[in-house]
Amino acid sequence: MSSERALALLRHAPIFQGAQEPDLLPLAELGRFSVLSRGQHLFQAGQAVESLYVVALGSVRVYRLSRGGRRELTLHVEGPRQVVAGVAAFQSRAVYPAHAQALQSPTEVLALPVDAVREAVFHTPALAQAVIAYFARRQAELLGRLDSLVFSELGERLAAYLLEHSAAPHALPTNSELAALLGTVPELISRKLGEFYRLGWIVLERAGAAHRAGQRRGGTGPAGRRHAKRGGALRKTPAPCPLFSPVLL
Amino acid sequence: MSSERALALLRHAPIFQGAQEPDLLPLAELGRFSVLSRGQHLFQAGQAVESLYVVALGSVRVYRLSRGGRRELTLHVEGPRQVVAGVAAFQSRAVYPAHAQALQSPTEVLALPVDAVREAVFHTPALAQAVIAYFARRQAELLGRLDSLVFSELGERLAAYLLEHSAAPHALPTNSELAALLGTVPELISRKLGEFYRLGWIVLERAGAAHRAGQRRGGTGPAGRRHAKRGGALRKTPAPCPLFSPVLL
DNA sequence: CGGACCCTTGAGTCAGGTCAATGATAGTGG
DNA sequence: CCACTATCATTGACCTGACTCAAGGGTCCG
């Protein structure tokens, strides 16, 4: 039964944190899994909202395009157990406000019909409470995003990103992906990383031996790649590039 | 009884749209009105969240400061019936994420204790539903804000603002206020408005005869003030400045 | 009249962005 | 194994929007 998998997934989804199994059962039964490959879209901005998705495997990037379509801004990258379009599902004008695409190659999501979700949430206090808490968290994140974009400059945002993601040695996303995440263009990411490298804030390493876990960087210029650390008042060093680990200094 | 006024206010607050009077009664009874004068703070970012506020009269500006404190970004300006700190009230780490201050001189707000609000919302499906819808709207607004800040340049944001607020002839906020709203500094607002004026996109008029409705602009440079129109693909003309009315062209 | 604010401007600086060329890598189909 | 193509990263040249600093004037209030 796929509804068992669905139930297990829903039980651990933060958006429903605190809900009891019986509350989630009806939703789990309506859920349908589907598999996407890297680059495939779950939905495009402007489409009518039909489903809310829970990531089961892989990861999904939610992003908006600039009017000209020349630039994009990544709003979220959701991994397993995270929800995509969780907010849109409760909006009255039911169109997705952003695009969503799979980032890795097997990416599996559970689609839940929005009507059923609304129904369940509105009739189950525990669910409603969980959703409210989730929305509040979400908005706090967005606010943080907002003022980092307005108040801090690129170097700072990049350094913050690197520090935040330096827990385990791992590969850096593509420069384009980083650019979309930080609200800029790939060229600037390259320059900044180069600068950090020259300053000794980061170390770099070929992606060579790396497992090709869904996405890996292609060519590498002159010196290979860098890795970074820094920030307004931050202090930390980085390690190997596509792969890196943090080291305090 | 002030609780009657409170109830009337709550019944028309969008955050509780759809709720029935009996659901709101307990909240209304716990509400306390207070009056602030221009510039006075309802709360500062970082303080523990104790109340959620519903504006009864006047208007409240919610804003964040940059780390250095040199710049500020206005997140919302809430008028009568609107809620301040509606999202913060449901966050687990209970500290206000922003500052809030009265914009006009009598500004009256109804303070509701957050515990009571949470209690009421979590136990009343109609309220929970209303709050969820409100949060979803709120997030959509924030998203719009986000990408206008990331994707469009100042002239465009200013024009958009002017168009959006040109319904009735009325005074423009201070340049500093506009700057905070649009994520920039007062000097640039002045330059851009001047530019729009020279282009004939806006007309201006001394604030002279204007009623001093809480805030009015002080001195006026050379030509007085401007008024604006323009935008990526927008078409509209404006009228007198501090006071203006829109005119299609 | 002095002080506190505002608005307006000129000058100068710089981060961030555009455009385009160069080199590499990985994957594909032979 | 190899030519071929698509995707990336890196850089130099150059442009410009946005910001800072500072000065000049106004208005309003006490």
Side-chain angles (χ1 to χ4, degrees):
Chain A
M1 269 310 262
S2 89
S3 79
E4 305 224 342
R5 254 190 91 203
L7 186 56
L9 184 57
L10 294 184
R11 287 194 44 189
H12 296 100
I15 195 179
F16 296 135
Q17 198 173 57
Q20 298 304 309
E21 197 156 317
D23 300 334
L24 295 171
L25 197 51
L27 281 183
E29 285 173 347
L30 289 170
R32 292 292 171 262
F33 282 97
S34 53
V35 176
L36 301 110
S37 46
R38 174 170 167 77
Q40 225 178 326
H41 279 83
L42 263 78
F43 52 78
Q44 304 260 355
Q47 288 180 349
V49 175
E50 292 176 352
S51 309
L52 165 165
Y53 301 88
V54 185
V55 178
L57 187 69
S59 61
V60 172
R61 179 172 85 104
V62 178
Y63 64 99
R64 300 188 78 153
L65 285 180
S66 66
R67 255 193 317 290
R70 319 177 56 78
R71 283 174 56 188
E72 32 189 69
L73 178 66
T74 297
L75 299 174
H76 315 282
V77 173
E78 306 289 12
R81 298 178 178 177
Q82 299 293 326
V83 165
V84 173
V87 177
F90 292 93
Q91 244 145 15
S92 39
R93 292 175 310 140
V95 290
Y96 294 109
H99 304 266
Q101 75 179 165
L103 262 190
Q104 297 180 17
S105 232
T107 285
E108 189 172 19
V109 298
L110 175 66
L112 301 172
V114 284
D115 308 313
V117 174
R118 285 203 199 106
E119 176 84 3
V121 169
F122 291 155
H123 290 82
T124 317
L127 283 184
Q129 178 166 350
V131 168
I132 288 176
Y134 169 78
F135 279 16
R137 281 198 302 276
R138 221 42 188 310
Q139 171 152 351
E141 280 174 36
L142 262 186
L143 277 187
R145 207 69 188 293
L146 221 180
D147 62 30
S148 87
L149 283 168
V150 174
F151 294 139
S152 30
E153 33 193 66
L154 183 56
E156 214 169 318
R157 300 202 296 276
L158 177 55
Y161 174 88
L162 291 171
L163 285 175
E164 216 171 291
H165 294 78
S166 56
H170 68 285
L172 233 43
T174 301
N175 283 359
S176 312
E177 283 168 293
L178 278 176
L181 230 23
L182 304 179
T184 183
V185 295
E187 291 93 323
L188 289 191
I189 297 290
S190 182
R191 287 188 218 278
K192 279 292 169 193
L193 283 175
E195 184 183 327
F196 288 0
Y197 174 70
R198 258 168 265 121
L199 288 168
W201 288 343
I202 58 171
V203 181
L204 68 105
E205 187 169 281
R206 295 337 263 309
H211 42 323
R212 177 146 294 68
Q215 95 242 48
R216 189 69 305 105
R217 60 188 353 103
T220 314
R225 280 302 292 295
R226 309 46 196 257
H227 207 193
K229 178 279 115 199
R230 190 239 161 190
L234 321 168
R235 290 297 149 56
K236 211 187 254 186
T237 42
C241 172
L243 314 197
F244 69 24
S245 53
V247 181
L248 295 173
L249 63 75
Chain B
M1 271 310 263
S2 88
S3 80
E4 304 223 343
R5 254 191 91 202
L7 186 56
L9 183 58
L10 294 184
R11 286 196 43 190
H12 296 101
I15 194 179
F16 296 134
Q17 198 174 55
Q20 299 304 308
E21 197 157 315
D23 299 333
L24 294 171
L25 197 51
L27 281 183
E29 286 173 344
L30 289 170
R32 294 289 171 266
F33 283 97
S34 52
V35 177
L36 301 109
S37 46
R38 174 169 167 76
Q40 223 178 327
H41 279 83
L42 263 79
F43 51 79
Q44 305 261 354
Q47 288 179 351
V49 176
E50 292 176 353
S51 309
L52 166 163
Y53 300 89
V54 184
V55 178
L57 185 70
S59 62
V60 172
R61 179 172 82 104
V62 178
Y63 64 98
R64 300 188 78 154
L65 287 178
S66 67
R67 255 192 318 290
R70 318 177 56 78
R71 283 174 57 188
E72 31 189 73
L73 179 67
T74 297
L75 298 174
H76 317 282
V77 173
E78 307 290 9
R81 297 181 180 176
Q82 300 292 326
V83 164
V84 173
V87 177
F90 292 93
Q91 244 145 14
S92 40
R93 291 175 311 138
V95 289
Y96 294 109
H99 305 268
Q101 74 180 166
L103 261 190
Q104 296 179 19
S105 235
T107 286
E108 188 171 21
V109 297
L110 174 65
L112 302 171
V114 284
D115 307 313
V117 174
R118 284 202 200 108
E119 177 84 5
V121 169
F122 291 155
H123 290 81
T124 317
L127 284 184
Q129 178 165 350
V131 168
I132 288 176
Y134 169 78
F135 279 16
R137 283 199 300 279
R138 220 43 186 314
Q139 172 152 350
E141 282 174 34
L142 262 187
L143 277 187
R145 206 68 188 293
L146 221 181
D147 65 30
S148 86
L149 284 168
V150 175
F151 293 139
S152 30
E153 34 194 64
L154 183 56
E156 213 170 319
R157 301 203 296 274
L158 177 55
Y161 175 89
L162 291 171
L163 285 175
E164 215 170 292
H165 294 77
S166 57
H170 68 285
L172 234 42
T174 304
N175 283 1
S176 310
E177 283 167 296
L178 278 176
L181 231 19
L182 303 178
T184 182
V185 296
E187 290 94 325
L188 290 191
I189 297 291
S190 181
R191 286 186 220 279
K192 279 291 169 194
L193 283 175
E195 184 184 327
F196 288 0
Y197 173 71
R198 257 166 267 125
L199 288 167
W201 286 344
I202 58 173
V203 181
L204 66 107
E205 188 169 280
R206 295 336 263 311
H211 43 323
R212 178 149 293 68
Q215 96 243 48
R216 189 69 304 109
R217 57 188 354 102
T220 313
R225 281 300 291 293
R226 306 54 194 252
H227 207 194
K229 178 279 112 196
R230 190 238 163 187
L234 320 167
R235 290 297 146 57
K236 208 186 256 187
T237 43
C241 170
L243 313 197
F244 67 26
S245 53
V247 181
L248 294 174
L249 62 78

